[in-house]
Amino acid sequence: MEEDITGLRSRIAQMQPVRAVGRVDSVDGTAIWVRGLSEKACIGDRLRLIRPDGELGGEVLRIRDDLVAMLPDESAEGVSKGDRVAVMGPPTLAPHDGWIGRVVDAYGRPMDGMPLAPGPRRRPFRASPPPAASRRPMGERLGTGMSLFDTMLPVVRGQRIGLFAGSGVGKSTLLANFAKGMEADVVVLALVGERGREVLEFVRSVLGPEGMARSVVVAATSDRSPLERRRCPLAAMTIAEHFRDQGKHVLFLADSITRFAEAHREVAIASGEMPALRGHPPSVAHQIMRLAERAGPGVGNAGDITAIFSVLVAGSDMDEPVADILRGVLDGHVVMDRQIAERGRYPAVDLLRSVSRSLPEAATDPENELIMKTRQLLGAYSKSETMVRAGLYRAGEDPVLDQAIRVYPELDGFLSENSTNGPEGAFQKLELLLRRAKASPNKRPAPPAPARRSSVPM
């Protein structure tokens, strides 16, 4: 009952008895030019076009003389000269604790057909990050439920990491594992540009009841306008900040920043900005960096937002603009490799190309030694793998490579295992694997068999 009253008060508070109204002057491509609002509307304001067959939402992109350019949320088909256009004001979002377990769109509207109460406080979509000089440092190490991230690539509270992957190598499944297994009070997930059927499939099958019990999913499917797809991660971050300000630890997952950048490109070009960074407008860098900066450790009594941003990299090109921009502002990056996925090891993370900038502080001295030794062995094997598999290497020529060959099958399997006893238990198992490999120097190394498939990628 209290939630209903709070939602009703919020709706009444945002009602405006009088709104400025203009008229459609012309339609130019994707832009609708409106006359009579140039002194009333601001860049970014929401507009509502009233036509005979219904209403059409949009956003102010440009203001010129007595004309305002409106980018509509949907096709401009059916719009005619003289149609009325009202200024709705700047877009805001009113997150509510009752949104946990629900799927909403980029404007906070329910996508499951059930009522959704707004919260008492309306927040802007583009809030400022916490003051840099007042933020706490990154916090303690978090359990993830996966041996790889509990040992070699630790994630700490308030850390921001990037997940760089091509399509079909298990990126969505890995994000779901984070949502279900990582230590957090609330999980906020942004699904940008996904196929419509995949949203429900992801919620029910991949995330499941266990993951949804503490999650808010914000979705903008591929058929939605670029305005809505661009707003999706902004809305999700706004929801995450709502829970962070309550002192909670929030896990923010975005899939994917690439589609966010593509949506921004469509909007920026429509506003007159020219592409410069391999087809992307210059403003895309600021959009990505500002979104990333809103995550991280909080200030004062506020909680923290631990963020994982996924990036679609075509052909494993880590130097493409979106990947290059994001990698430079994060606290670590995880690279997924198609060849590892094709031989059946999931998560298909290329450990040697991945790094967590929470190290060495996130691990003890003995744990850092285990991490360094494991990377040394994996690096030695990777460098000589072709020669080993071709039978050109003779045992005894290189003691480090001999040990790497002995431990590689078990180590490769360890990287795909679930961690049942937390980081401490995972490190104990890793130490045991390395000890066994070192204790049997006379055993002739054999080429390792591929790791057994453990999950299905999305």
Side-chain angles (χ1 to χ4, degrees):
M1 184 65 179
E2 183 63 29
E3 293 183 2
D4 295 338
I5 294 175
T6 301
L8 182 59
R9 286 174 178 169
S10 178
R11 289 190 177 97
I12 294 174
Q14 62 178 311
M15 294 178 66
Q16 296 181 15
V18 179
R19 295 185 185 276
V21 176
R23 298 280 181 173
V24 172
D25 181 83
S26 62
V27 180
D28 181 12
T30 58
I32 300 174
W33 290 93
V34 182
R35 186 175 298 276
L37 294 179
S38 59
E39 296 182 359
K40 302 294 183 180
C42 301
I43 297 294
D45 276 358
R46 292 290 296 169
L47 299 176
R48 184 176 64 189
L49 188 150
I50 305 169
R51 53 187 179 183
D53 60 342
E55 297 180 351
L56 178 64
E59 185 174 301
V60 176
L61 283 187
R62 285 186 278 177
I63 301 176
R64 185 178 64 197
D65 298 329
D66 191 37
L67 295 175
V68 169
M70 167 186 174
L71 183 63
D73 290 337
E74 300 175 9
S75 170
E77 184 176 350
V79 175
S80 62
K81 187 172 182 177
D83 285 344
R84 292 182 299 161
V85 180
V87 179
M88 308 303 293
T92 56
L93 195 66
H96 192 281
D97 293 354
W99 290 15
I100 295 177
R102 302 293 299 276
V103 182
V104 302
D105 69 6
Y107 297 101
R109 299 172 298 202
M111 298 184 68
D112 52 13
M114 299 176 62
L116 188 71
R121 176 186 172 190
R122 303 204 68 82
R123 295 171 173 266
F125 281 88
R126 299 181 182 277
S128 299
S134 305
R135 302 184 84 160
R136 294 186 296 269
M138 293 190 296
E140 70 278 3
R141 183 171 63 191
L142 302 171
T144 66
M146 293 175 281
S147 296
L148 170 63
F149 295 96
D150 282 354
T151 55
M152 305 300 298
L153 297 172
V155 181
V156 301
R157 182 167 173 149
Q159 187 175 0
R160 299 166 299 186
I161 66 174
L163 182 59
F164 301 85
S167 59
V169 297
K171 169 177 56 63
S172 297
T173 302
L174 180 55
L175 286 174
N177 289 339
F178 278 123
K180 291 186 290 186
M182 184 175 286
E183 297 177 39
D185 299 317
V186 180
V187 179
V188 180
L189 176 62
L191 298 178
V192 187
E194 292 286 350
R195 291 182 288 270
R197 65 168 181 82
E198 287 186 335
V199 173
L200 184 60
E201 180 181 348
F202 185 89
V203 169
R204 288 185 176 177
S205 304
V206 181
L207 201 56
E210 177 187 358
M212 282 301 296
R214 59 172 186 164
S215 301
V216 181
V217 177
V218 184
T221 53
S222 57
D223 63 303
R224 306 309 299 168
S225 72
L227 283 173
E228 188 168 342
R229 283 183 278 123
R230 185 180 69 165
R231 199 173 296 280
C232 179
L234 302 177
M237 186 63 74
T238 301
I239 296 171
E241 289 168 339
H242 163 77
F243 291 105
R244 178 204 62 192
D245 292 346
Q246 297 178 10
K248 295 181 179 179
H249 174 219
V250 184
L251 174 62
F252 176 87
L253 306 172
D255 186 18
S256 67
I257 296 301
T258 303
R259 297 194 185 107
F260 167 69
E262 290 170 349
H264 174 72
R265 175 174 57 191
E266 294 183 52
V267 176
I269 291 176
S271 68
E273 189 175 357
M274 298 301 294
L277 305 172
R278 281 204 265 178
H280 290 280
S283 60
V284 73
H286 176 70
Q287 295 290 330
I288 292 174
M289 290 187 287
R290 186 176 179 86
L291 176 66
E293 280 298 322
R294 290 171 66 181
V299 297
N301 295 324
D304 305 308
I305 300 177
T306 302
I308 300 177
F309 304 94
S310 76
V311 179
L312 290 168
V313 287
S316 300
D317 181 12
M318 292 292 291
D319 295 322
E320 62 93 20
V322 177
D324 193 44
I325 293 168
L326 192 59
R327 190 172 63 247
V329 296
L330 297 180
D331 307 309
H333 55 271
V334 177
V335 180
M336 302 188 73
D337 188 87
R338 188 173 302 279
Q339 292 184 352
I340 296 176
E342 289 174 349
R343 64 180 174 82
R345 196 254 279 170
Y346 298 103
V349 174
D350 187 341
L351 180 59
L352 298 178
R353 297 173 63 197
S354 304
V355 64
S356 173
R357 292 176 183 162
S358 64
L359 290 173
E361 291 80 5
T364 63
D365 289 342
E367 290 171 347
N368 279 312
E369 290 181 9
L370 287 175
I371 293 172
M372 182 179 64
K373 181 62 176 178
T374 302
R375 282 187 172 272
Q376 180 185 17
L377 294 176
L378 289 174
Y381 183 83
S382 177
K383 184 178 180 180
S384 305
E385 182 177 8
T386 302
M387 184 173 61
V388 171
R389 291 189 178 279
L392 301 177
Y393 174 74
R394 291 186 300 175
E397 293 180 349
D398 185 342
V400 175
L401 183 55
D402 288 343
Q403 186 178 353
I405 295 173
R406 284 192 299 270
V407 77
Y408 186 81
E410 291 184 277
L411 194 57
D412 195 53
F414 170 80
L415 297 179
S416 66
E417 291 179 352
N418 293 329
S419 176
T420 56
N421 298 318
E424 292 77 12
F427 270 113
Q428 290 174 3
K429 185 168 185 178
L430 179 60
E431 182 180 14
L432 182 61
L433 290 180
L434 298 183
R435 281 183 179 177
R436 284 208 303 260
K438 189 175 181 180
S440 53
N442 297 323
K443 183 178 179 182
R444 181 178 179 81
R452 188 170 57 184
R453 183 171 181 152
S454 59
S455 62
V456 180
M458 286 187 65

